[in-house]
Amino acid sequence: MKSANSLIQYFLLALVVIFYAINGFAFAAFYGAAISLSNTLIFNWYTDKQEALVDADAQKSFRMAINSSVVRALSLILLAIVGLGFLELDPAALCLSMVVGQVGFILDRLRQK
């Protein structure tokens, strides 16, 4: 299970959410963490999909990687706009938890290599 391998990401996100919960911005921090985790889930889904296609050629793998990057970037932007605009969440809490989640994601990927 790949999600169990994201321990660094979960730990860093928990610290940020707890910090902002103490300061009264728990929902904004949790929303930013959820955006980051959804980005990780999309990445894992595309990775599993790509690994399932054993006979995929290089061009198909490259297209899947591009599609994954585009979908992840658009979902991150759209969810951030919804959180900052429509839900009017605290920008610092949302952005920091989102960034910390992405840093945790990168650290987890480096740890797995």
Side-chain angles (χ1 to χ4, degrees):
M1 174 183 232
K2 289 192 178 198
S3 62
N5 292 332
S6 299
L7 295 175
I8 295 172
Q9 184 179 23
Y10 297 150
F11 178 73
L12 291 175
L13 285 173
L15 287 177
V16 172
V17 170
I18 290 169
F19 172 77
Y20 277 106
I22 292 169
N23 294 320
F25 298 108
F27 184 69
F30 182 75
Y31 186 83
I35 292 172
S36 178
L37 291 175
S38 71
N39 203 11
T40 301
L41 291 174
I42 292 170
F43 178 83
N44 288 340
W45 181 73
Y46 269 102
T47 302
D48 292 343
K49 186 176 171 182
Q50 191 170 15
E51 287 174 356
L53 297 173
V54 178
D55 59 343
D57 60 349
Q59 187 175 12
K60 189 171 188 174
S61 284
F62 183 70
R63 277 195 314 260
M64 288 180 74
I66 296 297
N67 286 342
S68 170
S69 297
V70 169
V71 168
R72 289 172 49 223
L74 289 176
S75 69
L76 188 117
I77 292 167
L78 179 65
L79 290 171
I81 288 172
V82 167
L84 294 172
F86 180 71
L87 297 175
E88 298 178 356
L89 299 174
D90 180 58
L94 189 147
C95 292
L96 182 63
S97 61
M98 209 168 51
V99 168
V100 167
Q102 291 307 301
V103 169
F105 170 77
I106 292 167
L107 292 174
D108 275 326
R109 295 300 171 231
L110 291 174
R111 183 179 60 98
Q112 292 174 18
K113 299 255 177 196

